[in-house]
Amino acid sequence: KQEVTQIPAALSVPEGENLVLNCSFTDSAIYNLQWFRQDPGKGLTSLLLIQSSQREQTSGRLNASLDKSSGRSTLYIAASQPGDSATYLCAVTGGGNKLTFGTGTQLKVEL
Amino acid sequence: EAGVTQSPTHLIKTRGQQATLRCSPISGHTSVYWYQQALGLGLQFLLWYDEGEERNRGNFPPRFSGRQFPNYSSELNVNALELEDSALYLCASSAPRRIEAFFGQGTRLTVV
């Protein structure tokens, strides 16, 4: 059974800081890994998708890496802004197109 | 281009009643997924529909069911509602032969 863990569970940083969110998964037989953002009480916004054959993806200030063999992914956020405050979720896609989610990292970027 | 749309936004039901949640996928997407996000439990996979057929099901009791219509929209039905069914229900869709999922804003179901 796939298990996804995210560390830290919560993070508070001052504006402008670079930060790293971590995600680990137990079964390396995945099709891809996605990072999502969720604002309170809202749906999920897809940030980055890394195919299992890829090592990293970049979008603006976001960079995500994937090491499938070790079961790890990191999301790097450069020059954080208050608007980045949200919960960040990683999810891996396994058999049956099922997404298994981590429990998320709640990020607060303070002025 | 419209994203995944879900209705209603909020739904309040009494224990024992039935709830019906609706989802319209992104135009051109043929797969629809349902997830439950209950407080403290994280996001749990419920159902996957593709081309009108149920393709995969999560570890939920049979009172959670659904269907996909010829226009690829989908309904999630929850029978005999229990207090523990209170959650945010998220629908997602994906394009043919693609796995990347795009999510809607969810339906907040409250069972009282």
Side-chain angles (χ1 to χ4, degrees):
Chain A
K1 179 188 170 186
Q2 178 74 270
E3 293 183 2
V4 180
T5 304
Q6 290 187 244
I7 295 172
L11 185 61
S12 182
V13 300
E15 182 180 13
E17 192 160 300
N18 301 324
L19 53 100
V20 175
L21 308 182
N22 296 292
C23 172
S24 61
F25 48 96
T26 55
D27 185 351
S28 61
I30 62 170
Y31 292 111
N32 60 43
L33 183 144
Q34 284 186 257
W35 282 94
F36 294 91
R37 168 188 173 135
Q38 186 175 32
D39 293 288
K42 304 293 185 182
L44 305 181
T45 300
S46 181
L47 298 173
L48 290 164
L49 178 144
I50 311 176
Q51 301 288 358
S52 62
S53 58
Q54 296 175 320
R55 299 284 279 183
E56 67 177 327
Q57 281 287 336
T58 298
S59 176
R61 295 183 293 109
L62 305 179
N63 174 275
S65 66
L66 173 64
D67 184 343
K68 206 172 78 161
S69 61
S70 68
R72 293 179 183 177
S73 176
T74 60
L75 178 66
Y76 176 83
I77 303 176
S80 58
Q81 303 170 359
D84 294 331
S85 298
T87 296
Y88 290 80
L89 295 157
C90 73
V92 295
T93 305
N97 280 19
K98 172 185 171 182
L99 276 166
T100 301
F101 285 86
T103 49
T105 293
Q106 192 170 357
L107 172 65
K108 184 175 182 181
V109 181
E110 298 174 321
L111 288 169
Chain B
E1 179 184 293
V4 177
T5 57
Q6 293 186 241
S7 63
T9 305
H10 294 85
L11 188 58
I12 300 175
K13 291 286 186 178
T14 303
R15 191 170 51 183
Q17 284 188 316
Q18 178 194 43
T20 298
L21 288 64
R22 297 179 175 82
C23 173
S24 293
I26 292 171
S27 178
H29 285 193
T30 57
S31 279
V32 169
Y33 310 85
W34 288 95
Y35 287 83
Q36 181 196 65
Q37 188 175 33
L39 196 63
L41 292 180
L43 273 150
Q44 304 291 324
F45 170 76
L46 264 167
L47 290 158
W48 169 33
Y49 291 97
D50 180 62
E51 296 286 355
E53 300 286 330
E54 182 180 301
R55 303 295 186 184
N56 195 12
R57 181 182 181 86
N59 188 25
F60 281 84
R63 58 190 186 82
F64 287 83
S65 65
R67 54 181 172 168
Q68 186 178 33
F69 299 98
N71 66 354
Y72 303 111
S73 66
S74 176
E75 277 183 359
L76 174 69
N77 295 293
V78 188
N79 294 319
L81 284 165
E82 301 178 1
L83 297 178
E84 302 75 51
D85 298 332
S86 295
L88 181 67
Y89 289 83
L90 293 168
C91 172
S93 71
S94 64
R97 296 174 300 283
R98 300 290 296 274
I99 298 178
E100 184 175 11
F102 296 86
F103 282 78
Q105 291 300 299
T107 293
R108 171 73 63 185
L109 173 64
T110 302
V111 183
V112 297

